[in-house]
Amino acid sequence: MQPSTIQHHQMTSALTALLDADYRFNYQELLAQVELADKPLSLATIRFMLEKVEFNSDEVKQLVQFDEETYSRRRLFGNEHCEVLILSWLNGQRSKIHDHIGSACGVKILHGQATETLFEPAANGHIYATQSTHYPSGEVTVSHDSDIHQISNLQGGDEPLVTLHIYSPPLKQFYLYQLESGTAVLLDLQHDSWFYEI
């Protein structure tokens, strides 16, 4: 078979499998699915893929990297259309308040319970929290590029949190927001070294 025919066959087989409501795929199969994408993934596709993927406890243990100073980000896959990361959070760690300019984002809770807080701009340019939601292990949440949010590990019992993230296209720019001021700081990952400071 020609390379283009092989790729078309792989994609057709993959899509057929995904249409099966009971079908689940593992970590390696997720990366293979993402690699087939020839354009950025829709928010619905990201949610669908995250809902279908299942990690076993050994895979999670091998992929986590905890840091006492801040939550850790580990890149599992990346190309021009998509990026897959696993994030490891010690108890009490949280992201900065941020958005995802130009990128759709999906998060699956692999271990523990995540708290997502959503924010909106106020009339005076400041931001305010509109709601917080607790997502237990196995749940998925998605956000559009302009959505402002914060992810936190606020569990009792000193429990860690592990989350799987898909950004499509890969996150290039984002704003960081402060509750105390009405100023949002634009960060560009091609010029700034703040990628791990989200």
Side-chain angles (χ1 to χ4, degrees):
M1 279 194 235
Q2 296 293 325
S4 60
T5 306
I6 292 171
Q7 185 174 18
H8 176 74
H9 176 71
Q10 288 173 332
M11 189 171 290
T12 302
S13 299
L15 290 173
T16 301
L18 286 175
L19 291 175
D20 178 353
D22 296 324
Y23 182 74
R24 296 289 181 269
F25 51 89
N26 63 28
Y27 156 58
Q28 294 297 336
E29 290 168 330
L30 170 68
L31 300 187
Q33 293 287 339
V34 169
E35 194 170 6
L36 290 174
D38 59 0
K39 62 182 179 181
L41 304 173
S42 70
L43 206 58
T45 300
I46 291 172
R47 174 182 283 282
F48 186 77
M49 294 178 85
L50 287 173
E51 287 175 346
K52 291 290 186 181
V53 69
E54 292 183 350
F55 281 55
N56 63 47
S57 58
D58 287 339
E59 287 173 326
V60 173
K61 286 176 186 174
Q62 289 171 8
L63 294 169
V64 296
Q65 298 175 328
F66 292 104
D67 186 316
E68 294 288 339
E69 299 297 319
T70 184
Y71 70 92
S72 295
R73 300 167 65 92
R74 180 174 179 184
R75 191 177 196 214
L76 305 180
F77 173 85
N79 65 17
E80 62 186 303
H81 302 303
C82 195
E83 185 169 39
V84 181
L85 301 122
I86 193 163
L87 277 61
S88 309
W89 317 70
L90 291 174
N91 200 270
Q93 292 179 338
R94 60 178 74 202
S95 70
K96 297 190 185 312
I97 303 169
H98 65 281
D99 59 20
H100 310 110
I101 299 174
S103 294
C105 172
V107 180
K108 179 165 189 165
I109 316 310
L110 298 181
H111 176 84
Q113 176 182 271
T115 300
E116 180 182 37
T117 303
L118 302 179
F119 297 83
E120 292 285 344
N124 66 355
H126 289 240
I127 59 167
Y128 65 97
T130 57
Q131 73 177 62
S132 287
T133 306
H134 301 299
Y135 292 99
S137 184
E139 288 290 306
V140 172
T141 178
V142 296
S143 58
H144 293 282
D145 59 352
S146 60
D147 292 342
I148 303 170
H149 76 159
Q150 180 180 53
I151 304 287
S152 307
N153 179 1
L154 303 178
Q155 303 172 88
D158 207 35
E159 281 293 314
L161 169 67
V162 182
T163 54
L164 177 69
H165 298 240
I166 297 179
Y167 297 97
S168 188
L171 192 58
K172 301 282 188 205
Q173 293 182 320
F174 55 90
Y175 281 101
L176 291 182
Y177 299 83
Q178 298 288 333
L179 286 172
E180 297 80 7
S181 74
T183 304
V185 178
L186 175 66
L187 294 176
D188 187 323
L189 298 184
Q190 297 178 34
H191 303 106
D192 299 304
S193 60
W194 288 51
F195 183 67
Y196 291 90
E197 297 293 326
I198 294 176

